[in-house]
């Protein structure tokens, strides 16, 4: 029981943390700008990390519930990733327009116009990076959904 719960806790923490680290690495080191749907995929992972951390400090029964909640959050990111991948592959229409990386705070009108004109536009319907035809959103969907299933299985078996 304790071993499975411990594994579930660690996987519920490390899986979304690793996926977030990968996303931030592609952004900060690889120079890929996230679109709006990319950001949507990150929010459940942030929540899953927080919930999984709480599971380490909870007694076994509440910890199990927290691990299952983390699994649901990880799965939610996977579902958003699958929706985003479908938009990138043009299987269906996207939910958002393009995203700009410009921050408008503390700028004059001329500076704002210049920033807008030189900012990269990030389209939700165009994959910036693929490997074997699978985009980052597709990889997030695959890893998140499979990982969430494993976390949930370990959490349920931890009775």
């Amino acid at each position: 029981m304790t071993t499975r719960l411990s594994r579930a806790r660690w996987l519920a923490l490390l899986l979304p943390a690793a996926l977030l680290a990968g996303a931030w690495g592609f952004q900060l080191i690889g120079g890929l700008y996230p679109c709006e749907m990319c950001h949507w995929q990150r929010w459940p992972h942030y929540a899953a990390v927080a919930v999984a951390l709480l599971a380490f400090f909870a007694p076994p029964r509440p910890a199990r519930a927290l691990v299952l909640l983390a699994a649901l959050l990880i799965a939610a990111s996977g579902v958003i990733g699958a929706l985003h991948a479908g938009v990138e592959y043009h299987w269906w229409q996207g939910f958002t327009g393009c995203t700009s990386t410009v921050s408008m705070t503390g700028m004059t009108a001329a500076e704002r116009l210049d920033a807008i004109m030189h900012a990269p536009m990030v389209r939700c319907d165009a994959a910036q990076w693929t490997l074997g035809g699978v985009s980052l959103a597709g990889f997030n969907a695959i890893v998140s959904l499979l990982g969430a299933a494993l976390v949930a299985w370990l959490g349920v078996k931890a009775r």
Side-chain angles (χ1 to χ4, degrees):
M1 172 182 149
T2 308
T3 304
R4 284 193 181 141
L5 181 58
S6 178
R7 287 181 185 157
R9 284 175 176 161
W10 280 108
L11 186 58
L13 175 66
L14 295 178
L15 178 68
L19 288 169
L20 285 168
W24 278 101
F26 273 99
Q27 180 178 343
L28 299 175
I29 298 168
L32 300 181
Y33 295 98
C35 70
E36 189 171 354
M37 291 182 80
C38 294
H39 284 293
W40 292 354
Q41 294 171 70
R42 293 180 187 189
W43 289 108
H45 283 312
Y46 291 130
V49 167
V51 168
L53 280 173
L54 288 174
F56 279 95
F57 300 102
R61 191 173 181 103
R64 187 171 160 262
L66 289 169
V67 163
L68 293 175
L69 176 59
L72 284 173
L73 290 164
I74 295 166
S77 179
V79 168
I80 297 167
L83 290 172
H84 188 189
V87 170
E88 290 174 335
Y89 300 133
H90 304 286
W91 294 339
W92 46 75
Q93 186 71 28
F95 305 105
T96 68
C98 296
T99 303
S100 175
T101 58
V102 177
S103 173
M104 297 291 174
T105 56
M107 293 182 165
T108 67
E111 291 171 333
R112 287 180 186 175
L113 180 60
D114 186 56
I116 289 170
M117 296 307 290
H118 292 95
M121 292 299 286
V122 183
R123 297 177 48 104
C124 290
D125 65 347
Q128 294 183 60
W129 182 92
T130 62
L131 178 64
V134 181
S135 68
L136 287 174
F139 278 112
N140 180 53
I142 294 165
V143 173
S144 293
L145 292 171
L146 291 175
L150 181 57
V151 170
W153 181 79
L154 287 171
V156 168
K157 290 291 184 180
R159 289 187 197 202

